[in-house]
Every structure is written in C-alpha cells, then in structure tokens.
Amino acid sequence: MTNEHFHQFLMICQQYQPHLAVVLGSGLNIAFQDMPEITSVSFSEIEGVRPPTVPGHHGRFQLIELGSKPIVVQTGRLHFYEGCTPDEVSQPLRAIQKTGISHLLLTNAAGSLQPTWVPGGLVQIRQDFFWQLGDRFQKLFQPLETDVYSSDFFDLVTNAANAAGLKIPAGVYCSLPGPCYETPAEIGALQKIGFDLVGMSTAFEARFAKSFGMEVAAISCVTNLAAGLEQNATLHHQDVLQVAQKGSTNLLKIIAQLPL
C-alpha cells in the first residue's frame, strides 16, 4: 500500500536520528552499494513522489550506516527535462524534510569549464546560477537570501576532504534546463560569464531545501570537459555514468569524515 512503507521508514529514522541526507547524482551511487542498509523505500512507495525516468537514477531512499553514523541516501533525482513540474521535483525533498534531518549534501555529475579539472575529480559548489529561474520558480523562494549554500557546512566539507587526504577545489555551477548537452558556443559564453561547472540539476533543490531551513552543501563530480574544450569528444549519458562511478569512492571518503 502506498505510504505504508514510507511511514515505516520514517519511524526507523526516528529511532536512529540521522543528521545528514545525501542526494546522489548520476553514477555516484556505486560506492554506497556495499554500505550496511538499515531500511529503504522507493519513490513509487511514497504518495505523490514520481519515479525517475533517467538511467542511473534509481529513485530510492536508503537509511545506511557509514561507520557508526546513520545517513539517509537518496539514489537518483527528478529533473525538469523529464517533464516534471516544480512540485514534482521538490517531492523527494519534502520526504527528506519529514525525517527531521538538518543537513543536505547535494551531488551531481557536471561538465567542467576549467580545462585543468580532470574527469573523475570532485569540486565543491560555492555558488550557483539557476538558469531556469522564472516567475513560476521565483515565487517559491521569496524571501530567500542570496547565499543558498551554508558557509559552515561548506567548511565542514572542506575539512572532511582534507581529513580524507583529498584537495577539492571550489567553483560556480550553472544549472541549465537540459536534456541536450551544451554546444561549444554556449560553453564559450558561460566561460566568459565566469562559470566553472555546468549541469542540469541541484540549484532548484538547494533553494528549496534552504527555503525550509536546511543547511545545504553541494559537490559536483566532473565527468567530462565541456563542449569545445576536448577535441573529437562526443558525450553520451552512459559515459557520464561510467566516469561518475570513479568519483563516487572519493565522495564516500569525504562523507565518512563529516562530523554529522
């Protein structure tokens, strides 16, 4: 029965009291598959939550144990290019909100506009631009201050990366509608504006979670150099998934070091 499993999931979360939820982007779930699972529930078992249609996005919440820490992991997300409305994209976050979790770490697979950021590397998002922002979105976030990402949480992620022996740069992420990858001309324009990363998610989720009081941080896994920066490279979604799987191991190391 729809929602019965979700209510059980929430009850078990209340027992374990996790403080951190992680949304895993394309291909980033592979390192988490062997983590001890306490309980799980699929999107299809939660009333009002639409299952994803994009390969690599399973649409599932898992309560796992990472060391001695309980963490809620969302494998997969919904995108506007799937035909989803803002309400549908936000429903998984509403489900996370019901667990009482205070910190949300968003992750994604992104194209790099910095030629020295190699595929498989991780970049922490310090700012973003929600290119899809229009009247139907703007009304959702007023009066939301400019700083979407928590500076305290940003520092926690930086310190956790250092503790894991990883040095990850910080960059500015641009969220575009998708699903088509950008042309070299578009990438050139985005570089001139000052963006470092480009993708099709995260910015809306960050604003929505911030609007109901969560501390938000975000990490991109660089899966490719953006169009025009790499000769004779044709990008496919399967390529993105394969490269992101390489970055998932380091992502797991960082999360294991977070004091949450």
Side-chain angles (χ1 to χ4, degrees), residues 53-131:
T53 61
V54 180
H57 291 264
H58 302 301
R60 192 169 188 82
F61 294 108
Q62 295 174 285
L63 178 63
I64 67 170
E65 281 189 308
L66 182 55
S68 59
K69 297 186 301 185
I71 296 173
V72 170
V73 174
Q74 177 186 319
T75 56
R77 56 160 50 91
L78 295 166
H79 305 80
F80 291 111
Y81 66 72
E82 297 175 72
C84 296
T85 65
D87 183 66
E88 287 172 329
V89 172
S90 68
Q91 285 302 325
L93 296 175
R94 294 181 190 274
I96 289 176
Q97 182 190 21
K98 291 179 181 178
T99 66
I101 284 173
S102 58
H103 288 70
L104 177 68
L105 178 62
L106 299 166
T107 73
N108 61 50
S112 171
L113 280 66
Q114 296 290 343
T116 58
W117 291 355
V118 298
L122 301 178
V123 180
Q124 187 171 188
I125 297 174
R126 58 182 174 85
Q127 290 181 318
D128 70 28
F129 186 82
F130 185 32
W131 204 283

Side-chain angles (χ1 to χ4, degrees), residues 1-14 41 45-47 98:
M1 180 177 181
T2 302
N3 265 16
E4 180 180 340
H5 288 165
F6 182 52
H7 290 151
Q8 293 173 355
F9 180 84
L10 292 178
M11 289 177 63
I12 296 174
C13 283
Q14 289 174 2
V41 63
E45 295 175 296
I46 307 173
E47 185 176 357
K98 291 179 181 178

